[in-house]
Amino acid sequence: MQKKRDEFSDFSIQQARKLAQSGVGQELLAVLQNTQGDQLRQAMEQAAAGDYAKVKESLEAMMSSPEARELLEKLRG
């Protein structure tokens, strides 16, 4: 049985993959792994289980750190 993707579309998942492969994306991932590794692993487990609402909650909490916000600003700029 295929899992429902809730608010995530194929396009947004593809964008996330592209971001994760970019230089700033790799830097952001490293920051999250170093500062919030347990939460990041939990979000990955939630995604694997198809609980995208929880993934969104987890990522929003992680992205509120000063380091993550700084890197997100680089992405916007």
Side-chain angles (χ1 to χ4, degrees), residues 23-62:
V24 175
Q26 288 292 312
E27 194 175 345
L28 178 58
L29 184 57
V31 165
L32 293 176
Q33 286 174 334
N34 288 331
T35 61
Q36 302 180 48
D38 290 339
Q39 293 91 338
L40 183 59
R41 277 187 289 283
Q42 183 179 22
M44 293 172 75
E45 290 170 6
Q46 292 164 337
D51 192 349
Y52 296 108
K54 284 285 189 188
V55 172
K56 184 179 177 192
E57 268 180 44
S58 296
L59 290 177
E60 286 173 348
M62 286 187 280

Side-chain angles (χ1 to χ4, degrees), residues 9-33:
S9 68
D10 287 333
F11 184 70
S12 64
I13 291 170
Q14 290 173 355
Q15 285 181 318
R17 285 184 184 136
K18 186 175 179 178
L19 170 63
Q21 294 171 349
S22 72
V24 175
Q26 288 292 312
E27 194 175 345
L28 178 58
L29 184 57
V31 165
L32 293 176
Q33 286 174 334

Side-chain angles (χ1 to χ4, degrees), residues 1-14:
M1 179 181 357
Q2 188 173 7
K3 296 190 186 306
K4 184 178 175 190
R5 291 197 172 161
D6 294 328
E7 300 173 19
F8 290 84
S9 68
D10 287 333
F11 184 70
S12 64
I13 291 170
Q14 290 173 355

